[in-house]
């Protein structure tokens, strides 16, 4: 390839650029998506709402069963929440065998039923018995790689397998597999807001196409809801706060961008029951967004070399204790909250992590100091503890006494446990005696749903009496991981169950189509060979657009463009050249063809892979005290 030749693509581009600024209609080159029209015949047999781990897995299994599948997502990109995930729980993986960890479904089942207290027994049994074949073998067969296995709570044998450089490498192979099926279509930037019924049966969805601004109605035979959890909907989080805890002060979200409970609402309207919505895995060492991106969002922030005090200026929990106990203790301090107290010597221990820290940022300690520690919106600082206490509104005498007592314990080499519960990690030895002193207020955070749409073992959405709502299935975090986590979350038991329940939903929905009069499986092809992912060298292509164009496009925020806007704000901020990511093969327009979409998956890694060398074990993951994944 040489020079800048006007190809069909660039003509599309030229037409699209103006449209991009105005809200671009889909250029129709080899489209993957369904037509824009409201069809009178079925648009598909099965409509899957959500292209996260659950929806993509469901689509693949449904397509293998001969169903015509249409996946819609309100995002412009695949992957959902899972793109930022860390790992997956497997029992009897070949990696466990290689590392000499002897595991067994019966042992795993006993471990999990004990830890989760009331985890869903049948689903847990199904998981432990099928994670090898339906998850490990399947995923590794698709090319997913794992780096290591982390020991984690509730497991007598290590089972939390860490994805090679994080979740992009879990979601991408699944997405690429879905692209291979001729009977799976996608429609992006389409937000569903209503399920349609034919008699009793759910047969389709209605919603809004963000890009065109027009409503759409899609008709199928069945719908699989895979819209994720609801923890980015803080009103819903508060409305379902645990009864035995005080109502919280501010709560920040660190959940999926689109985890707003829209699927829950649609399911409920269609007659499905929602269960255990108060089972939410929430975090407790959160600092508010300091980027001005979204005031509802927060970031993991905290200092392992600090003590925590409540509004009385007293310690109330062993800071590095086991998540579930620390969580409850922290939540009992609501609504006043708690502060992390440290001194000048230990301020470098502050860590920050979260969605905006998608890349090397999480290990850029100088930046973290500037953003969190030396930022008066987040952290107060004073030369004496008494002044610090006054700044944060706790009794000065009490804070002084608390710190003096703590320093004395350290000096005498005594245990610093507050509640008799030993810390989870060996705490670093530090004292708080070098001014200036710092206080960072930490907040609760809403993260994951462990309750949701009620389903049976075949993922039928159930009504309050336990009867399936005809035509409706649900999979993934919208079902609260099928209740597998019970009262206490297990690591890797959101990603794994999302894929597993997704696959069950896809299989079941396809198999049950056979009960519909006249339904026949379609002929389909599965693309065998891998995509040719070679990208032409930068020099072979002259970009048609530059930073100024992007600046223009970013001037006004538009619905449906949030990811595009986040990406390109970062591009401008970091001064990346356009050809770092775009090329003749990854052009400047919404990738629509299968080939384009496959190629585009390569450019996600600039931001969504953990930087090489920082994992495993690097302290990018060592933000203290996060609730289990
Ligand atoms: C930072 C982070 C780390 C995590 N780490 C782990 C981990 O290590 N292990 C683990 O087990 N779990 C982890 N999780 C949780 C796990 O990633 C999720 O539970 C899981 O990916 C959920 O998958 P899902 O397909 O059910 O939903 P999602 O991934 O939330 O996908 C839902 C999709 O539906 C779309 N959507 C939503 N509403 C609509 C609508 N109305 N119309 C159209 N589209 C809609 C969304 O855009 C999204 O693409 C982590 C999560 C985060 C955020
Ligand atoms: C770090 C990688 C990266 C760089 C550098 C980059 N982009 Fe992008 N670009 C993307 C991704 C990813 C998408 C798809 C985003 C989405 O759909 O959310 C995209 C999509 C686009 C689109 C299509 C918008 C749409 O969805 O309709 C345009 C136009 C674009 N980029 C222009 C540019 C220009 C101009 C530059 C140089 C100033 C640039 N990009 C630099 C990653 C990048
Ligand atoms: C230039 C950096 C950049 C690139 C390149 C990029 N992203 Fe993102 N992406 C982000 C940021 C930043 C966020 C988090 C936004 C937030 O919540 O603050 C994000 C969020 C997401 C989310 C939402 C996750 C959730 O929990 O809801 C998905 C899905 C996603 N990206 C997919 C992709 C895919 C697929 C690609 C490649 C086609 C891609 N991204 C390329 C920066 C990038």
């Amino acid at each position: 390839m040489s020079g800048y030749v006007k190809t069909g693509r660039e003509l599309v581009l030229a037409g699209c650029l103006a449209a991009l600024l105005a809200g671009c209609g889909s250029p129709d080159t080899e489209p993957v998506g369904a037509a824009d029209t409201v069809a009178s015949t079925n648009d598909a047999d099965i409509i899957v709402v959500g292209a996260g781990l659950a929806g993509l897995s469901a689509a693949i299994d449904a397509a293998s069963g001969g169903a015509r599948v249409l996946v819609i997502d309100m995002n412009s990109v695949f992957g959902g929440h899972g793109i930022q995930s860390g790992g997956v729980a497997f029992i009897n993986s070949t990696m466990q065998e290689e590392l000499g960890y002897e595991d067994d479904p019966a042992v795993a089942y006993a471990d999990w039923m004990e830890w989760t207290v009331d985890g869903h027994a049948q689903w847990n049994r199904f998981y432990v018995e099928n994670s090898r074949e339906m998850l490990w073998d399947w995923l590794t067969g698709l090319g997913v790689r794992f780096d290591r296995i982390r020991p984690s709570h509730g497991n007598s044998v290590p089972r939390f397998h860490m994805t090679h450089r994080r979740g992009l490498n879990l979601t991408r192979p699944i997405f690429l597999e879905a692209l291979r099926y001729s009977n799976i279509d996608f429609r992006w930037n389409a937000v569903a807001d209503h399920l349609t019924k034919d008699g009793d049966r759910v047969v389709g969805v209605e919603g809004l196409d963000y890009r065109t601004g027009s409503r759409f109605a899609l008709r199928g035979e069945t719908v699989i809801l895979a819209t994720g959890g609801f923890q980015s909907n803080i009103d819903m989080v508060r409305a379902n706060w645990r009864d035995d805890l005080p109502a919280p002060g501010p709560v920040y979200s660190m959940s999926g961008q689109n985890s707003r409970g829209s699927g829950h609402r649609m399911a409920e309207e269609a007659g499905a029951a929602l269960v255990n919505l108060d089972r939410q895995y929430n975090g407790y060492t959160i600092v508010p967004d300091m980027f001005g991106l979204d005031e509802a969002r927060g970031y993991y922030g905290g200092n392992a070399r600090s003590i925590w005090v409540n509004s009385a200026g007293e310690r109330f929990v062993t800071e590095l204790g086991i998540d579930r106990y620390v969580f409850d203790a922290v939540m009992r301090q609501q609504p006043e909250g708690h502060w992390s107290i440290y001194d000048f010597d230990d301020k470098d221990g502050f860590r920050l992590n979260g969605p905006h820290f998608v890349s090397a940022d999480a290990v850029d300690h100088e930046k973290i100091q500037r953003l969190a520690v030396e930022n008066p919106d987040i952290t107060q600082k004073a030369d004496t503890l008494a002044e610090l206490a006054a700044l944060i509104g706790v009794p000065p005498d009490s804070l002084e006494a608390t710190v003096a007592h703590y320093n004395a314990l350290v000096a005498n080499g005594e245990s610093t446990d507050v509640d008799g519960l030993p810390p989870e990690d060996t705490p670093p030895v530090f004292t708080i005696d070098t001014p200036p002193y710092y206080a960072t207020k930490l907040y609760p955070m809403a993260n994951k749903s462990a309750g949701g749409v009620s389903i049976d073992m075949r993922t039928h959405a159930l009504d309050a009496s336990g009867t399936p709502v005809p035509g409706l299935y649900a999979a993934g975090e919208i079902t609260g991981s099928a209740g597998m986590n019970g009262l206490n979350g297990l690591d890797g038991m959101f990603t794994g169950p999302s894929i597993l329940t997704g696959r069950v939903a896809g299989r079941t929905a396809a198999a049950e189509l056979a009960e519909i009069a006249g339904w026949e499986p379609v002929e389909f092809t599965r693309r065998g060979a891998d995509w040719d992912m070679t990208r032409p060298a930068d020099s072979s292509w002259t970009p048609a657009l530059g930073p100024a164009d992007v600046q223009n496009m970013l001037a006004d925020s538009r619905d449906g463009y949030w990811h595009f806007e986040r990406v390109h704000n970062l591009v401008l901020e970091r001064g990346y050249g356009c050809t770092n990511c775009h090329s003749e093969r990854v052009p400047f327009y919404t990738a629509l063809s299968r080939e384009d979409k496959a190629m585009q998956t390569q450019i996600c890694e600039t931001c969504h892979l953990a930087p090489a060398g920082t994992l495993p074990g690097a302290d990018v993951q060592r933000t203290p005290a996060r609730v289990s994944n």
Side-chain angles (χ1 to χ4, degrees):
M1 306 275 158
S2 68
Y4 180 69
V5 229
K6 222 168 174 50
T7 62
R9 275 194 180 154
E10 268 112 24
L11 289 172
V12 172
L13 165 71
C16 201
L17 175 57
L20 254 175
L21 298 161
C24 186
S26 317
D28 78 335
T29 47
E30 332 158 44
V32 176
D36 266 336
T37 49
V38 177
S40 51
T41 53
N42 284 4
D43 298 283
D45 297 321
I46 299 176
I47 296 167
V48 178
V49 188
L53 288 172
L56 293 171
S57 306
I60 294 167
D61 274 42
S64 317
R68 287 183 306 138
V69 183
L70 173 59
V71 183
I72 71 167
D73 200 297
M74 61 197 282
N75 220 345
S76 50
V77 278
F78 69 91
H81 225 41
I83 207 129
Q84 310 193 54
S85 64
V88 188
F90 303 108
I91 291 95
N92 274 348
S93 72
T94 49
M95 192 169 193
Q96 282 178 311
E97 285 161 23
E98 277 155 25
L99 292 170
Y101 300 137
E102 268 184 46
D103 205 357
D104 180 84
V107 175
Y109 180 74
D111 282 355
W112 290 2
M113 291 314 292
E114 189 189 336
W115 176 260
T116 64
V117 184
D118 68 347
H120 194 286
Q122 276 176 296
W123 271 113
N124 273 313
R125 171 141 347 250
F126 186 81
Y127 193 98
V128 299
E129 285 172 355
N130 291 283
S131 79
R132 168 64 186 257
E133 186 231 317
M134 284 182 73
L135 296 177
W136 173 263
D137 290 347
W138 188 65
L139 291 168
T140 52
L142 296 181
V144 180
R145 283 162 55 209
F146 296 90
D147 282 331
R148 70 202 160 110
I149 312 179
R150 259 182 33 194
S152 59
H153 299 313
N155 288 290
S156 58
V157 179
R159 301 190 174 103
F160 185 34
H161 295 58
M162 308 310 292
T163 315
H164 178 60
R165 297 178 63 197
R166 298 190 76 103
L168 173 63
N169 279 337
L170 176 65
T171 49
R172 177 166 51 185
I174 301 175
F175 177 61
L176 289 174
E177 175 69 4
L179 284 180
R180 290 190 172 95
Y181 283 82
S182 61
N183 51 338
I184 303 180
D185 279 348
F186 288 93
R187 180 165 172 151
W188 305 101
N189 285 118
V191 57
D193 54 29
H194 181 66
L195 294 172
T196 45
K197 282 190 171 180
D198 185 348
D200 282 352
R201 190 178 174 85
V202 174
V203 291
V205 295
E206 289 174 2
L208 176 71
D209 185 316
Y210 275 144
R211 300 248 160 167
T212 60
S214 50
R215 303 271 314 160
F216 65 81
L218 296 166
R219 165 79 202 229
E221 299 287 0
T222 53
V223 173
I224 299 176
L225 283 177
T227 50
F230 65 87
Q231 270 57 33
S232 289
N233 180 341
I234 293 296
D235 291 339
M236 197 166 162
V237 165
R238 284 180 174 285
N240 295 288
W241 203 248
R242 254 170 51 194
D243 279 347
D244 60 327
L245 296 172
V251 177
Y252 294 93
S253 175
M254 229 202 74
S255 180
Q257 195 64 34
N258 299 328
S259 303
R260 298 184 188 272
S262 55
H264 299 68
R265 191 184 46 70
M266 287 188 277
E268 199 173 30
E269 270 172 23
L274 304 179
V275 292
N276 297 329
L277 294 188
D278 62 343
R279 299 205 176 156
Q280 309 180 20
Y281 295 131
N282 296 334
Y284 44 78
T285 69
I286 297 302
V287 295
D289 172 53
M290 70 288 285
F291 298 102
L293 287 173
D294 181 347
E295 59 181 25
R297 273 182 153 349
Y299 297 90
Y300 290 116
N303 190 342
R305 302 204 302 263
S306 75
I307 59 168
W308 293 352
V309 300
N310 58 17
S311 57
E314 288 161 0
R315 287 177 77 208
F316 57 91
V317 73
T318 302
E319 291 84 357
L320 297 180
I322 294 177
D323 286 350
R324 62 202 253 206
Y325 302 117
V326 182
F327 177 77
D328 277 26
V330 165
M331 295 307 152
R332 290 204 183 89
Q333 310 310 317
Q334 292 294 317
E336 293 83 5
H338 71 296
W339 289 261
S340 163
I341 307 287
Y342 46 96
D343 68 0
F344 181 79
D345 279 350
D346 293 308
K347 73 189 188 100
D348 291 347
F350 204 94
R351 296 289 177 269
L352 200 56
N353 207 346
H356 199 60
F357 279 74
V358 279
S359 184
D361 284 357
V363 286
D364 184 344
H365 296 308
E366 211 184 293
K367 184 168 178 181
I368 290 171
Q369 291 290 311
R370 180 164 45 79
L371 287 170
V373 177
E374 301 295 350
N375 175 356
D377 290 340
I378 306 289
T379 299
Q380 303 305 311
K381 167 167 125 175
D383 286 331
T384 65
L385 285 168
E387 287 168 56
L388 189 68
L391 281 176
I392 62 175
V394 308
D397 296 355
S398 171
L399 183 65
E400 282 175 341
T402 299
V403 170
H405 176 66
Y406 169 81
N407 286 342
L409 292 176
V410 173
N412 298 333
E414 286 174 48
S415 160
T416 59
D417 303 356
V418 176
D419 40 21
L421 293 168
E424 184 186 5
D425 293 314
T426 316
V429 178
F430 62 94
T431 50
I432 303 173
D433 48 13
T434 313
Y437 299 101
Y438 296 80
T440 307
K441 177 136 195 203
L442 302 176
Y443 295 88
M445 168 270 274
N447 196 7
K448 291 172 195 157
S449 301
V453 175
S454 172
I455 54 167
D456 64 14
M457 289 304 294
R458 303 180 74 191
T459 72
H460 297 115
L462 302 177
D463 68 15
S465 71
T467 310
V469 177
L472 188 62
Y473 304 78
E477 205 182 315
I478 188 180
T479 70
S481 253
M484 286 185 234
N485 290 283
L487 287 170
N488 295 307
L490 286 155
D491 281 327
M493 283 305 283
F494 281 88
T495 49
S498 292
I499 302 168
L500 191 77
T501 56
R503 295 197 69 191
V504 171
R507 287 174 184 195
T508 312
E512 290 179 357
L513 286 173
E515 293 162 16
I516 292 169
W519 185 81
E520 297 280 349
V522 288
E523 298 267 329
F524 63 91
T525 52
R526 182 188 167 279
R527 186 190 167 115
D530 236 316
W531 311 94
D532 172 13
M533 295 285 210
T534 35
R535 285 215 269 153
D538 291 351
S539 58
S540 67
W541 184 71
T542 313
L545 304 175
D549 300 298
V550 166
Q551 198 115 42
N552 248 327
M553 292 176 211
L554 296 175
D556 295 307
S557 163
R558 291 159 295 167
D559 281 347
Y561 285 83
W562 77 265
H563 190 264
F564 169 81
E565 287 163 6
R566 287 288 160 87
V567 166
H568 294 89
N569 273 316
L570 277 178
V571 166
L572 295 182
E573 186 186 309
R574 295 178 182 178
Y576 294 145
C578 308
T579 53
N580 275 357
C581 298
H582 296 290
S583 68
E584 192 147 24
R585 304 208 53 208
V586 187
F588 295 125
Y589 64 77
T590 318
L592 283 179
S593 73
R594 286 168 200 278
E595 194 87 38
D596 282 352
K597 209 68 191 171
M599 283 300 298
Q600 198 193 46
T601 65
Q602 282 190 303
I603 69 178
C604 317
E605 46 195 68
T606 318
C607 304
H608 288 292
L609 282 187
T614 59
L615 294 174
D619 70 352
V620 58
Q621 291 200 326
R622 294 302 307 151
T623 312
R626 48 180 296 184
V627 170
S628 43
N629 287 322

